[in-house]
Amino acid sequence: MSTAAHLSAHGSPAPVLELRGVTVRFGSVPALSGVSLALRAGEVVCVLGENGSGKSTMVAVLSGLQQPAEGELLVDGRPERFRSPQQARACGIATVWQDLAIAPLMSVWRNFFLGAEPTRGLWPFRRLDVGRAEEITTRAMARVGVPGLDPGQAASALKAGERQSLAIARALHFGARALVIDEPTAPMTVAQRALVLQSVVAAREAGLAVLFVTHSPQHAHLVGDRFLLLGGGRVAGDLTREDVDVHDLTRLVAGGDELSRLGDSLRAAQRDR
């Protein structure tokens, strides 16, 4: 495919992943209503909002679990329709889910490769290259802020933050281009949450487009370049670090009425253009 196909109408690189006017309904109730979003390489977009604001539905659309009733999903500026998570992964979209599933009795390196283990030798003498697998896993985990990990230990020994870091490290290693991180619900210590945030930063520095769903304005402002505020399934604000400091962001997320007024004023301004 030519480079031109990856350029927007203005000549700049197209977003890696984009939603345009996406609406999702469950029965007659819209979970998302006309939502637009652009994820660009080397940028972290944090999505914030109260429970029921549409965050989980947005993750489901981007991950191929939910198809929109209206609107478009684009990859590199080309319309796509993900009918399964496998199709999303084939386009380079990796999702780290809230309730991350691992095989607890298997080793860390086995969980890292999950069926793509390196081998050596020729058939019929081909066998797993355990040494190489452990070396790659150790290096990949150190890259996201977990140095000195024993890759041969059972995955059940990993703390919640380390499990999230493992999933992010795996996505980086296997060539993901966009990373969707749904904030984990498991209780975490401050150190474990710091690991997840460090992994988010590592993904951005590796050039990935990152969507980070979080309930915490403080965490969002630490790692985010842009902040998408959702309320009632609509975009109530699309802000940058230059637009808000952490106190402004906290006030907006905490104040439902203020967030609604912001959304109304933004939509009114768009209609007047």
Side-chain angles (χ1 to χ4, degrees):
M1 182 171 293
S2 67
T3 303
H6 299 284
L7 299 180
S8 70
H10 303 289
S12 58
V16 175
L17 187 59
E18 187 175 3
L19 299 179
R20 290 184 185 170
V22 163
T23 294
V24 175
R25 298 186 184 90
F26 296 117
S28 61
V29 178
L32 291 177
S33 184
V35 168
S36 295
L37 162 75
L39 298 179
R40 294 177 174 83
E43 182 179 67
V44 176
V45 176
C46 294
V47 178
L48 302 106
E50 297 178 340
N51 290 336
S53 62
K55 302 189 303 295
S56 295
T57 303
M58 174 183 285
V59 171
V61 169
L62 294 172
S63 306
L65 283 175
Q66 180 72 48
Q67 287 74 48
E70 299 171 14
E72 286 186 311
L73 182 150
L74 301 95
V75 177
D76 292 327
R78 303 187 310 273
E80 296 280 354
R81 189 167 182 84
F82 298 154
R83 299 186 183 277
S84 68
Q86 291 79 7
Q87 289 184 344
R89 287 195 295 268
C91 286
I93 316 303
T95 303
V96 180
W97 299 100
Q98 276 188 350
D99 302 312
L100 186 64
I102 64 167
L105 299 182
M106 292 174 62
S107 66
V108 173
W109 73 262
R110 280 280 198 177
N111 275 273
F112 182 87
F113 283 98
L114 290 175
E117 295 85 355
T119 59
R120 60 180 176 177
L122 300 174
W123 180 262
F125 305 107
R126 183 177 299 146
R127 61 191 183 278
L128 289 177
D129 192 340
V130 176
R132 183 165 170 241
E134 291 185 335
E135 178 186 350
I136 290 172
T137 302
T138 301
R139 190 166 60 244
M141 290 296 286
R143 182 183 184 188
V144 296
V146 190
L149 183 76
D150 176 8
Q153 69 179 322
S156 58
L158 295 177
K159 299 181 176 116
E162 292 172 337
R163 294 181 185 186
Q164 300 294 319
S165 296
L166 174 62
I168 294 171
R170 186 180 190 278
L172 286 170
H173 176 74
F174 284 100
R177 301 178 55 240
L179 186 61
V180 179
I181 305 171
D182 201 4
E183 183 178 54
T185 55
M188 288 189 187
T189 65
V190 171
Q192 290 167 18
R193 289 197 178 278
L195 269 183
V196 176
L197 297 178
Q198 187 169 344
S199 299
V200 170
V201 171
R204 175 177 62 195
E205 291 177 348
L208 273 69
V210 183
L211 182 90
F212 182 42
V213 176
T214 177
H215 291 83
S216 169
Q218 292 80 14
H219 294 162
H221 208 270
L222 280 172
V223 300
D225 300 297
R226 286 179 28 236
F227 312 103
L228 193 78
L229 309 182
L230 291 182
R234 294 178 177 272
V235 175
D238 189 349
L239 309 168
T240 69
R241 293 180 67 87
E242 289 70 34
D243 296 325
V244 288
D245 61 21
V246 66
H247 302 294
D248 294 331
L249 192 61
T250 301
R251 188 174 65 253
L252 285 170
V253 173
D257 291 340
E258 188 171 355
L259 186 58
S260 297
R261 287 196 297 272
L262 174 62
D264 291 341
S265 64
L266 287 171
R267 284 190 287 273
Q270 290 170 355
R271 286 195 298 269
D272 292 340
R273 289 178 182 174

